[in-house]
């Protein structure tokens, strides 16, 4: 059997860097790569006819690697990052070896900071080197079509991430293969709370023979301090070294293999988190700095010797039913602390909203101790329930601020702002997000700022980001956990000290051109404004004498022009400094500004022109944006991979960019993060593990009924069908330790098709024994029972039921989510069919996240997989259908023949569904589930399963 190297690159990018993949087949004679093995690793390799050569001198001796059970060794994991005047260039490199005696997957999985530009990716597999180029997206798509037409193993994988941007590459390689991955990206380090913070994700996933994180900082202004918090944990206390000079610093983190271990005898690594470097620069008393280098200027503006301006601030707090529990508790705690920090010169008020809108005060009041204390008492009485009317709440807040301004009640030098705290989409009142965005924009009229805090994983963060950016503010996602309160207070501190308002920078036209954004609504203490442009070095005298910054409350001439010759000499003497740092910073700011302008362009013609400019910038500066793709190819250009990112229907064309207008409303109020599905390709792909992200981490039963079991450890979807009779009740989860039961009763189609009567779930029952609560969901009603007490909602309702710390959220004609504290959640999806359909009937689907905290005693058709079995899939071979290969799966002591195919996930498209790749187990899951499916039949809707 000849070995094949199959490539799968999965780029999960939610920001500007964005990716798809085209896969070309590697030649069949890859087995000739292996000439000689030392400790299971080939010492030299070449392709037939000397096509590829491989050099291994930089690897050195690769023995003594610590391997997991998969026999994959991580020879080195290296991160190198250089910060030159706030521009951080980062390289992440991993060298790995497959020491197993069989072909298997090697994964390179890293996280890239949101907003960073990926500019290069290379991969070397036994000397086959793949390098990258940036191309216009349609050109790249054309190459994909050509590859597919050749009948090769071509396919596209497309996925979106949440807040972080994941870059994952998966390669199936033969025994003894060495592989090196290398990713490059750059970003501008932003200043917050008087500190620059550089965050590098370091998650090697296994012990590395050589581990290194190396950060160099080069700041011509001079370094005030450098600090490395112990963000990876006390385990690594004292390992990081810091060398700081006047203008340079070097941070090194090089744990030995013994130091990486979780415990002295552990084979797993404790290196799993973010490596953080914090620093600040010296500043002149004026607070301004101009750096000119290689034909570009960068203007850093951060004055701090100013008195804070008074604030007029409206806090708008979501108190709908989905905020119930820890979210609300942490929000109240944070708001009480924030209110205590208001200054005497500030004015404020509170608005809380669900389906209704309430004002603590109908106008702004001074932040006196008595008023602050009364506001705290008001917040303490809030009890979340009901729907979400974001539109009316924001319009009420803007009305209060506009009225106060019209009545002359605001200090001319004060800064007005709204802070919105919400965890979901609108469910009451105006539901269309574009209309809400337009309403708020028209009401604010660029007079004040809107800041948004999105709580939890299920929040439509992109909408909050758009509406905030559209109104001179910013947004931040707050993860709904024990740290919610601290995260909210940290965000507030970033905007609590306005120093300047309505700032305009003025540059002499004879000296500069192509200047990025030069007007800003507010400047907050501890932050920094950065402006960049091209400069005529022969007219620097004009630039030095005329540059000013004008603000509504001050006129400032506060620029320190860094001596050009001095800066030039300093940069060229340092071998680590990026000689293109000014050019890259200008491009970074310009592209982001154009993306924002494109999203608010009033005409299609203007939008097209801006798109052309973004595309040209992307190609000129070799960066991935929403309009370009990265081609990854070998020297002969006959083996190609393609990377870009799919459109997101909620975000328009450009995922992750600011100010975008969605194509259609998306009302996911109350839907947890695990309920967001990621699309997968319809075309066949070589066997691959399912993407290990929360969007796919779900166990589901839908249609007639199809079971899809996601196995997090092996990162695979396993599918099977159950064919039983109408009226039968199947146990899905039975957990006597936690007292939880989930059963589904089957209903039949109206008549047979192809001599078969399809069955579906027509009723689903939940029994929470420890609470004494039962929930019955049919295609008509949703009923909660507590002894003799009962309450019923219909599918035409949108609302929430809360009882004994159990939350039921109903979304009209769509879905029901059941949340039990912080431990469990379930979603039931409604499928409606045409009532006069000759065959089909209405039915239900159920989706259960594997993160649910079931006990080891849990069983049932789904519950048994809370304790994940070991699954080994091998010997993939063609099936009867060319698009559905077969393989052998070993599980629970059984050897099964499984088929690669597609099943439907209906969470985002309840009509057509979304295709999910999985390995299908025949004969009603026999061999994969314990026993026979008839063992899971129970007599009543709330019966526990009696295990044999």
């Amino acid at each position: 059997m000849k070995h094949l190297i199959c490539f799968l690159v999965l780029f999960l990018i939610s920001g500007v860097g964005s990716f798809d993949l085209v896969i070309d087949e590697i030649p069949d004679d890859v087995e000739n790569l292996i000439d000689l093995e030392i400790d299971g690793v080939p010492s030299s390799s070449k392709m037939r006819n000397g096509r590829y050569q491989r050099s291994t001198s930089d690897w050195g001796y690769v023995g003594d690697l610590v391997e997991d059970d998969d026999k994959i060794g991580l020879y080195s994991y290296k991160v190198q990052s250089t910060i030159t005047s706030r521009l951080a260039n980062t390289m992440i490199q991993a060298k790995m070896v497959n020491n197993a005696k069989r072909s298997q997957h090697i994964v390179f999985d890293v996280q890239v900071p949101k907003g960073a530009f990926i500019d290069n990716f290379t991969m070397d597999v036994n000397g086959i080197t793949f390098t990258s180029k940036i191309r216009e997206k349609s050109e790249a798509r054309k190459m994909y079509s050509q590859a597919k037409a050749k009948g090769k193993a071509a396919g596209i994988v497309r996925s979106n991430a949440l807040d972080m941007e994941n870059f994952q590459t998966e390669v199936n390689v033969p025994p003894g293969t060495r592989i090196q991955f290398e990713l490059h990206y750059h970003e501008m380090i932003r200043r917050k709370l008087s500190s620059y913070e550089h965050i590098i994700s370091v998650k090697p996933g296994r012990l590395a023979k050589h581990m290194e994180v190396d950060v160099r900082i080069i700041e011509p202004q001079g370094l005030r301090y450098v600090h490395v918090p112990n963000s990876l944990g006390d385990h690594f206390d004292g390992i990081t070294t810091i060398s700081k000079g006047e203008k340079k610093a070097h941070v090194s983190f090089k744990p030995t293999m013994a130091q990486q271990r979780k415990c002295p005898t552990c084979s797993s690594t404790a290196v799993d988190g973010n490596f953080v470097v914090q620093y600040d620069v010296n500043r002149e008393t004026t607070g301004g700095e101009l750096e000119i280098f290689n034909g570009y200027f960068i203007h850093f503006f951060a004055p701090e010797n100013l008195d804070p301006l008074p604030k007029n601030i409206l806090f708008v707090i979501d108190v709908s039913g989905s905020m119930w529990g820890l979210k609300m508790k942490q929000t109240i705690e944070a708001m009480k602390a924030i209110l205590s920090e208001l200054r005497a010169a500030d004015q404020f008020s509170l608005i809380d909203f669900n389906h209704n809108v309430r004002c603590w005060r109908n106008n702004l009041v001074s932040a006196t101790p008595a008023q602050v204390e009364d506001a705290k008492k008001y917040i303490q009485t809030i009890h979340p329930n009901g729907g979400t009317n974001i539109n009316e709440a924001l319009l009420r807040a803007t009305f209060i601020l506009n009225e106060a301004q019209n009545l002359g009640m605001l200090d001319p030098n004060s800064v007005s702002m709204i802070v919105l705290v919400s965890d979901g989409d609108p469910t009451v009142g105006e539901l269309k997000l574009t209309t809400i965005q337009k309403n708020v924009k028209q009401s604010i009229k660029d007079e004040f700022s809107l800041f948004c805090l999105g709580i939890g994983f299920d929040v439509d963060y992109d909408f909050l980001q758009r509406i905030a950016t559209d109104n001179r503010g910013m947004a931040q996602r707050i993860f709904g956990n024990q740290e919610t309160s601290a995260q909210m207070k940290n965000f507030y501190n970033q905007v609590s000290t306005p120093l300047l308002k309505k700032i305009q920078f003025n540059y002499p036209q004879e000296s500069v051109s192509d200047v990025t954004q030069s007007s800003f609504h507010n400047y907050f203490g501890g932050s920094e404004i950065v402006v960049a442009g091209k400069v005529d070095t022969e007219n620097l005298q004009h630039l030095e004498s005329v540059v000013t910054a004008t603000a509504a409350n001050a006129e400032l001439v506060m620029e320190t022009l860094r001596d050009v010759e001095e800066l030039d000499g300093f940069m060229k003497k340092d071998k680590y400094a990026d000689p293109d740092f000014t050019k890259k910073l200008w491009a970074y700011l310009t592209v982001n500004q154009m993306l924002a302008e494109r999203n608010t362009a009033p005409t299609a013609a203007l939008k097209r022109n801006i798109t052309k400019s973004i595309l040209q910038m992307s190609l000129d500066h070799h960066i991935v944006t929403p309009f370009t793709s990265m081609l990854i190819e070998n020297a002969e250009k006959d083996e190609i991979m393609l990377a870009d990112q799919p459109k997101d229907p909620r975000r328009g064309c450009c995922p992750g960019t600011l100010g975008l207008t969605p194509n259609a409303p998306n009302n996911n109020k109350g839907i947890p993060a695990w309920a967001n599905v990621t699309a997968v390709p319809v075309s066949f792909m070589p066997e691959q593990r399912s993407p290990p992200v929360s969007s796919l981490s779900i166990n589901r039963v839908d249609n007639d009924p199809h079971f899809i079991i996601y196995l997090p450890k092996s990162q695979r979807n396993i599918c099977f069908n159950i064919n039983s009779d109408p009226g039968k009740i199947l146990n899905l989860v039975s957990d006597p330790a936690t007292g939880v039961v989930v059963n589904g009763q089957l209903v039949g189609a109206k008549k047979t098709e192809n001599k078969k009567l399809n069955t579906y779930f027509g009723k689903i029952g939940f029994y929470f024994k420890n609470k004494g609560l039962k929930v019955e969901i049919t295609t008509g009603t949703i009923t909660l029972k507590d002894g003799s007490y009962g309450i019923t909602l219909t599918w035409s309702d949108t609302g929430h039921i809360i009882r004994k710390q159990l939350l039921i959220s109903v979304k009209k004609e769509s879905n029901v989510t059941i949340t039990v504290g912080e431990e469990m959640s379930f979603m039931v999806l409604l499928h409606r069919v045409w009532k006069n359909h000759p065959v089909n009937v209405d039915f239900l689907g159920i989706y259960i996240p594997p993160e649910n905290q079931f006990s080891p005693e849990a069983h049932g058709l789904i519950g048994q997989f809370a304790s994940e079995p070991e699954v080994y899939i091998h010997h993939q071979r063609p099936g009867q259908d060319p698009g559905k290969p077969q393989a052998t799966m070993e599980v629970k002591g059984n050897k099964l023949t499984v088929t690669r195919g597609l099943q439907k996930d209906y969470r985002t498209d309840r009509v057509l569904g979304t295709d999910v790749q999985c390995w299908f187990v025949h004969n009603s899951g026999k061999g994969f589930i314990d026993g026979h499916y008839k063992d899971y039949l129970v007599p009543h809707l709330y019966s526990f399963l009696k295990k044999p």
Side-chain angles (χ1 to χ4, degrees):
M1 174 66 68
K2 294 183 177 181
H3 295 292
L4 290 179
I5 300 178
C6 300
F7 295 95
L8 168 63
V9 181
L10 177 61
F11 302 93
L12 309 177
I13 303 293
S14 61
V16 175
S18 46
F19 297 94
D20 289 343
L21 169 67
V22 169
I23 304 167
D24 244 0
E25 194 174 47
I26 299 301
D28 290 339
D29 55 359
V30 170
E31 60 185 354
N32 294 330
L33 282 169
I34 303 175
D35 293 342
L36 176 66
E37 292 192 2
I38 300 176
D39 293 331
V41 181
S43 62
S44 64
S45 305
K46 62 181 179 180
M47 288 295 292
R48 186 177 299 165
N49 300 324
R51 183 178 169 198
Y52 296 117
Q53 298 292 327
R54 180 165 70 88
S55 172
T56 60
S57 59
D58 61 332
W59 280 60
Y61 177 63
V62 296
D64 301 328
L65 298 183
V66 174
E67 303 160 348
D68 291 341
D69 293 339
D70 56 14
K71 297 296 182 181
I72 292 176
L74 179 58
Y75 175 73
S76 75
Y77 192 90
K78 181 185 296 184
V79 179
Q80 291 181 340
S81 190
T82 301
I83 303 171
T84 309
S85 282
R86 286 61 145 193
L87 178 76
N89 290 289
T90 302
M91 181 274 289
I92 303 177
Q93 180 194 83
K95 297 180 179 180
M96 307 177 77
V97 182
N98 178 15
N99 283 333
K101 294 182 179 180
R102 56 184 174 85
S103 296
Q104 60 179 338
H105 296 271
I106 290 183
V107 177
F108 175 65
D109 188 1
V110 299
Q111 289 186 329
V112 177
K114 187 172 184 178
F117 285 144
I118 293 176
D119 49 41
N120 196 20
F121 173 67
T122 60
M123 181 169 64
D124 187 288
V125 185
N126 276 344
I128 306 174
T129 301
F130 289 77
T131 57
S132 61
K133 295 179 181 179
I134 303 298
R135 291 289 184 269
E136 191 270 332
K137 185 168 288 188
S138 63
E139 178 184 345
R141 292 282 180 174
K142 183 178 179 181
M143 296 188 69
Y144 164 66
S145 299
Q146 292 173 347
K148 189 174 181 181
K150 293 177 183 178
K152 299 181 180 180
I156 293 182
V157 174
R158 305 193 294 184
S159 184
N160 294 300
L162 268 173
D163 208 35
M164 295 299 293
E165 303 174 357
N166 296 320
F167 182 107
Q168 179 176 311
T169 308
E170 186 172 332
V171 183
N172 191 21
V173 298
T177 299
R178 298 181 184 184
I179 185 166
Q180 174 178 305
F181 304 98
E182 190 169 300
L183 176 71
H184 293 252
Y185 63 87
H186 66 266
E187 60 179 320
M188 190 178 81
I189 307 300
R190 301 283 185 177
R191 189 169 185 256
K192 298 178 181 178
L193 301 176
S194 301
S195 176
Y196 300 98
E197 187 171 73
H198 185 34
I199 301 175
I200 304 170
S201 177
V202 185
K203 298 182 178 183
R206 59 184 73 228
L207 294 172
K209 184 174 182 180
H210 302 284
M211 160 70 69
E212 178 181 5
V213 179
D214 190 271
V215 180
R216 294 184 182 273
I217 305 171
I218 302 150
E219 289 287 357
Q221 281 183 251
L223 291 167
R224 189 161 66 90
Y225 71 85
V226 177
H227 173 61
V228 180
N230 203 6
S231 55
L232 290 173
D234 296 337
H235 186 93
F236 300 104
D237 189 29
I239 296 178
T240 302
T241 62
I242 303 174
S243 302
K244 176 185 172 297
E246 180 184 353
K247 298 181 179 181
K248 305 176 185 179
H250 179 212
V251 177
S252 180
F253 173 72
K254 296 178 68 174
T256 64
M257 190 176 290
Q259 291 169 330
Q260 295 171 44
R261 297 179 187 272
K262 284 187 176 181
C263 67
T265 59
C266 292
S267 60
S268 55
T269 180
V271 183
D272 184 20
N274 292 330
F275 187 81
V276 179
V277 178
Q278 299 169 336
Y279 73 95
D280 199 11
V281 299
N282 297 322
R283 303 184 189 280
E284 303 287 342
T285 55
T286 57
E289 171 89 1
L290 271 169
E291 293 183 1
I292 300 173
F293 191 69
N294 281 353
Y296 295 84
F297 80 87
I298 307 295
H299 183 182
F300 300 107
F301 180 78
E304 296 194 343
N305 55 337
L306 301 169
D307 294 329
L309 300 177
K311 297 189 299 293
N312 312 302
I313 185 167
L314 263 295
F315 298 100
V316 182
I317 305 170
D318 183 348
V319 296
S320 61
S322 59
M323 285 286 289
W324 171 80
L326 185 61
K327 288 181 184 177
M328 196 74 254
K329 179 180 178 182
Q330 293 277 312
T331 299
I332 291 173
E333 180 183 331
M335 283 305 307
K336 289 166 69 176
I338 288 170
L339 290 171
S340 297
E341 295 177 6
L342 292 172
R343 300 181 181 90
D346 295 338
Q347 298 187 89
F348 79 105
S349 189
L350 300 169
I351 293 175
D352 62 291
F353 70 97
N354 45 30
H355 49 283
N356 296 316
V357 177
R358 297 191 307 168
C359 297
W360 167 67
R361 296 285 188 270
N362 289 318
N363 55 278
L364 294 170
V365 299
S366 297
T368 64
Q371 294 283 19
V372 168
E373 192 60 32
D374 191 68
K376 290 180 183 178
K377 292 179 181 178
Y378 177 82
I379 290 176
Q380 197 67 50
T381 64
I382 290 175
H383 296 289
N385 62 83
T388 308
N389 194 341
I390 292 178
N391 185 67
E392 186 177 340
L394 287 176
L395 293 182
R396 183 74 62 87
T398 59
F399 173 81
I400 291 174
L401 284 176
N402 283 323
E403 184 179 52
Q405 181 168 303
N406 294 336
L407 295 175
M409 299 172 59
L410 305 184
D411 185 330
N413 285 331
S414 64
V415 171
S416 297
M417 65 181 75
I418 296 170
V419 177
L420 170 67
V421 180
S422 181
D423 76 330
D425 292 345
T427 61
V428 177
E430 179 57 59
L431 303 181
K432 192 173 183 180
L433 300 183
T434 50
T435 302
I436 296 174
Q437 188 174 345
K438 180 180 178 181
N439 292 344
V440 174
K441 176 73 174 176
Q442 290 177 345
S443 184
I444 288 181
K445 303 173 184 176
D446 289 336
E447 291 298 320
F448 38 90
S449 298
L450 171 62
F451 299 96
C452 297
L453 287 169
I455 298 182
F457 293 91
D458 50 330
V459 65
D460 189 347
Y461 178 70
D462 295 292
F463 166 66
L464 297 182
Q465 192 176 46
R466 287 194 301 271
I467 200 170
T469 305
D470 206 23
N471 293 285
R472 302 177 180 272
M474 60 181 178
Q476 182 168 318
R477 188 193 298 275
I478 303 296
F479 298 99
N481 53 31
Q482 297 293 340
E483 302 298 322
T484 296
S485 179
Q487 294 174 65
M488 289 180 63
K489 287 183 284 187
N490 182 276
F491 178 83
Y492 172 75
N493 289 338
Q494 295 178 42
V495 301
S496 64
T497 311
L499 299 182
L500 296 169
K501 60 183 291 189
K502 295 184 179 178
I503 306 146
Q504 176 66 51
F505 292 94
N506 305 294
Y507 302 95
Q509 295 182 359
E510 61 268 33
S511 299
V512 303
S513 62
D514 296 331
V515 178
T516 59
Q517 180 179 348
S518 58
S519 62
F520 300 85
H521 196 61
N522 295 310
Y523 167 71
F524 295 96
S527 64
E528 182 176 63
I529 292 175
V530 182
V531 183
K534 298 178 181 178
V535 65
D536 181 359
T537 54
E538 296 182 0
N539 290 311
L540 290 183
Q541 68 277 9
H542 297 291
L543 183 60
E544 184 175 10
S545 60
V546 181
V547 172
T548 60
T550 303
N553 56 310
E555 185 165 334
L556 312 162
V557 180
M558 43 170 55
E559 311 313 318
T560 298
L561 179 61
R562 185 67 55 189
D563 184 90
V564 177
E565 293 183 2
E566 177 188 340
L567 181 62
D568 188 77
F570 172 76
M571 289 297 181
K572 289 181 177 178
K573 287 179 182 178
D574 194 295
K575 65 179 181 179
Y576 297 103
D578 185 349
D580 294 324
F581 80 94
T582 51
K583 181 180 179 181
K584 288 180 179 178
L585 279 171
W586 172 78
Y588 181 94
L589 292 169
T590 301
V591 170
N592 277 293
Q593 180 180 330
M594 287 193 295
L595 286 169
E597 290 174 352
R598 181 189 182 280
N599 299 323
T600 57
T603 66
L606 179 57
K607 182 172 288 190
R608 284 195 298 269
N609 289 336
I610 297 174
T611 301
K612 291 179 181 178
S613 298
I614 296 171
L615 173 60
Q616 193 59 52
M617 286 282 293
S618 306
L619 298 175
D620 291 346
H621 296 271
H622 199 270
I623 52 179
V624 179
T625 63
F627 309 106
T628 55
S629 301
M630 179 179 281
L631 287 176
I632 305 164
E633 56 190 4
N634 68 333
E636 283 73 16
K637 304 184 186 303
D638 59 355
E639 294 161 4
I640 300 172
M641 293 181 290
L642 169 68
D644 65 19
Q645 186 174 6
K647 294 181 180 181
D648 186 327
R650 289 181 10 156
R651 305 176 185 169
C653 78
C654 317
T657 57
L658 304 181
L660 291 174
T661 301
N663 294 331
N666 186 287
N667 304 315
N668 290 333
K669 183 68 175 178
I671 301 177
W674 50 264
N676 295 320
V677 68
T678 297
V680 299
V682 177
S683 57
F684 162 67
M685 294 287 294
E687 198 276 321
Q688 63 200 54
R689 287 175 173 82
S690 302
V693 294
S694 61
S695 57
L696 283 180
S697 300
I698 191 75
N699 297 320
R700 63 208 88 168
V701 190
D702 219 324
N703 217 322
D704 58 341
H706 297 315
F707 287 73
I708 306 178
I709 305 297
Y710 176 73
L711 303 177
K713 292 180 182 178
S714 58
Q715 299 175 13
R716 287 189 172 95
N717 288 314
I718 309 297
C719 304
F720 59 92
N721 293 345
I722 297 293
N723 299 310
S724 191
D725 300 325
K728 298 292 186 181
I729 300 174
L730 291 170
N731 175 254
L732 306 179
V733 178
S734 178
D735 189 358
T738 60
V740 174
V741 167
V742 183
N743 293 323
Q745 187 171 28
L746 297 173
V747 60
K750 295 176 182 176
K751 64 180 181 179
T752 60
E753 280 190 319
N754 299 321
K755 299 181 179 180
K756 175 189 174 185
L757 181 67
N758 288 328
T759 55
Y760 311 86
F761 282 129
K763 183 184 297 183
I764 296 177
F766 297 84
Y767 180 28
F768 303 97
K769 182 178 180 181
N770 297 344
K771 296 178 180 294
L773 299 178
K774 296 177 180 178
V775 180
E776 178 182 298
I777 301 177
T778 70
T779 57
T781 60
I782 303 97
T783 302
L784 170 70
K785 301 175 183 177
D786 183 2
S788 60
Y789 169 84
I791 183 171
T792 298
L793 296 176
T794 70
W795 281 103
S796 61
D797 296 320
T798 291
H800 305 276
I801 305 172
I802 300 174
R803 193 168 183 87
K804 295 181 179 179
Q805 296 187 326
L806 184 139
L807 169 66
I808 302 174
S809 299
V810 182
K811 183 178 175 184
K812 182 178 179 180
E813 294 295 329
S814 178
N815 60 68
V816 174
T817 57
I818 300 175
T819 306
V820 188
E822 299 296 317
E823 295 81 34
M824 297 182 191
S825 55
F826 307 87
M827 172 190 275
V828 175
L829 199 67
L830 174 66
H831 295 272
R832 289 281 193 220
V833 300
W834 173 44
K835 67 178 181 179
N836 294 323
H837 195 287
V839 177
N840 295 338
V841 295
D842 293 346
F843 64 96
L844 305 171
I846 182 169
Y847 297 76
I848 305 175
E851 294 82 8
N852 276 1
Q853 297 177 23
F854 296 125
S855 78
E857 298 179 37
H859 210 259
L861 287 168
I862 292 178
Q864 63 188 288
F865 298 104
S867 300
E868 181 176 333
E870 293 291 332
V871 172
Y872 176 39
I873 297 177
H874 58 91
H875 192 210
Q876 184 175 336
R877 53 199 181 271
Q880 293 181 349
D881 185 336
K884 296 181 179 180
Q886 293 184 337
T888 299
M889 181 171 78
E890 296 184 31
V891 59
K892 299 181 178 179
N894 302 313
K895 282 190 176 182
L896 311 174
T897 297
V898 292
T899 303
R900 187 72 166 170
L902 299 173
Q903 291 283 25
K904 292 290 187 180
D905 186 317
Y906 291 93
R907 282 171 292 162
T908 57
D909 188 336
R910 289 184 294 126
V911 179
L912 300 177
T914 302
D915 289 314
V916 175
Q917 285 188 342
C918 65
W919 285 107
F920 185 80
V921 181
H922 303 274
N923 300 321
S924 297
K926 185 177 181 181
F928 180 60
I929 64 174
D930 294 338
H932 191 275
Y933 87 85
K934 292 184 178 180
D935 298 335
Y936 298 87
L937 296 175
V938 292
H940 304 292
L941 194 62
Y942 304 112
S943 298
F944 280 89
L945 179 67
K946 294 182 179 180
K947 293 177 64 175

